[in-house]
Amino acid sequence: MNDLDQRIRKKELLKKVGTPEEASLLFKDGMMVATSGNPLMGYPKATFLALADRMKQGGEIKIDLLSAGPLGPEVEESLVRSNGIRTRIGAVGSGLLRDAINQREVRFIEGKGGQLPAHVRQGRFGKIDLAVIEAIGITEEGNIIPSTAVYDTPEWVELASSLIVEINQLRPLEMEGLHDIYLKAPRQPIPIVHPLDRIGTPFIPVDPEKITLIVGSMVPDREASEISIDTLSRRIAKEFIQFLEKERQAGKWNTPLPPLEVGIGGIGSAILQELGESDLSPLFFYMPAITDPILDLIDRSKVGGVSGMALRLSLKAWTRFQAELEKYKKLIVLRPVSISNSAEVVQRLGVISINMGLEVDLQGQVNSSHLMGSKIWTGIAGSYDFSRNGALSIFTIPSAAKGGKISSIVPLVSHVDHTEHEVDMIVTEQGVADLRGLDPLEKAERIIEKCSHPDYRELLRDYLRNSKRSGGHIPFSFEEAFSFYERLQGKGSMKGG
């Protein structure tokens, strides 16, 4: 299928069509290269795979790679294997890149969700030499029609010195109109008061002269299955839904509920499935990534509207999305990350934020990104924006990890992503700890009694009793925290950790 002449409506730009190999020659050592997408779909592939091949052939090129979202592993890992990434700014999508960062072979600077474009605009990381973006077409005026992910593409189009536009010819042109592209003007409010409000254009404005090369791509998405949901995730989801229904019955929430933001993963998917079984409807969502269960909820007529910045669908769900595209377009809008994660809009809409963590401490702090305090596992991504600005900030986590060998509830997390000031509620399969309106001691007691695993509850009670002897506003003691971990090792709980 070679339909670039139909997808490129500004015919003068047809003379800029080239191959991925030609695109790879535009990269130079030390360049700041911006791109966009998420690990399942919506990111340029052909150009970066050709670049990785050039690097392997002795090109001696290293780039600084900038993208708020993680990219697919076939791209990230190809560049890592080619020793072609000097610095990664934004997020981590693949295990190989994660290992390279932990081994200090690649510098990593985590981008703070929706704030990353603003930080780039401020010059925090230097100028963008080249942006590589995915599109499904170009309008008669030369503007860019985005693909399945918007993320930070509009900002990179504006800020980059030159552009490579990779047109994904496997995406239907009928997606045009799904997007709402709006770049916030300095000191001006974002006029969104409802998740489905459209305030921008269905395309990304661009000066056609900035486009250096257009590449057609027929590289398929990697095989991606639906996210598996285990029994533990379902138990956590049921605890959360029961709490939400009690809150509504008590008159604390109106019907419909405020928009929801649900993180990615097994627990998030389980929560969305449980919402489908509840009588909570219509449901509205203001969230970064739109996953398979959202389509399920739409098909069950449970959804009033969904605002996101990217589709993150399995191949099975994508096939369904294409087949009923017009139905989904009525209820879904895709925006830039600076709008979908905007603190202003999240606060105005009163979003209920539901995210996942690796460990939680008795102060209510959450580590969602690093193992043992030093090794990155995943970035904080959009949870940074929503936990700090949502009307209700909820973190879900199993009470124990490694098959019960490690307690996920600890005296002090090894790395802090979300402080006690941004965490309103902890949910595990054991129960719900509502921390609103509690002092530090009450928070610690509630987390232990409601959320900790029974195997570790008495150890945590001992820790809290002993730490209170130190006095102070917050019941904490380094000496007792070390003693807690020593006792865990004595129980064999750290075995295999």
Side-chain angles (χ1 to χ4, degrees), residues 19 41 54 136 165 344:
T19 66
M41 56 200 316
R54 182 186 168 203
I136 60 171
V165 179
E344 172 192 341

Side-chain angles (χ1 to χ4, degrees), residues 212-228:
T212 303
L213 199 69
I214 300 172
V215 175
S217 174
M218 299 286 288
V219 180
D221 292 323
R222 63 191 176 93
E223 292 289 333
S225 58
E226 300 172 81
I227 295 174
S228 60

Side-chain angles (χ1 to χ4, degrees), residues 251-308:
K252 295 182 179 179
W253 300 103
N254 296 324
T255 300
L257 290 172
L260 303 174
E261 180 265 334
V262 184
I264 295 167
I267 297 175
S269 294
I271 287 172
L272 291 171
Q273 286 192 4
E274 290 296 324
L275 283 169
E277 300 300 326
S278 74
D279 63 352
L280 298 167
S281 69
L283 296 167
F284 291 86
F285 295 90
Y286 198 83
M287 62 200 305
I290 298 169
T291 56
D292 292 18
I294 294 291
L295 299 193
D296 297 335
L297 288 169
I298 291 175
D299 291 344
R300 298 180 65 173
S301 301
K302 300 279 288 185
V303 173
V306 185
S307 172

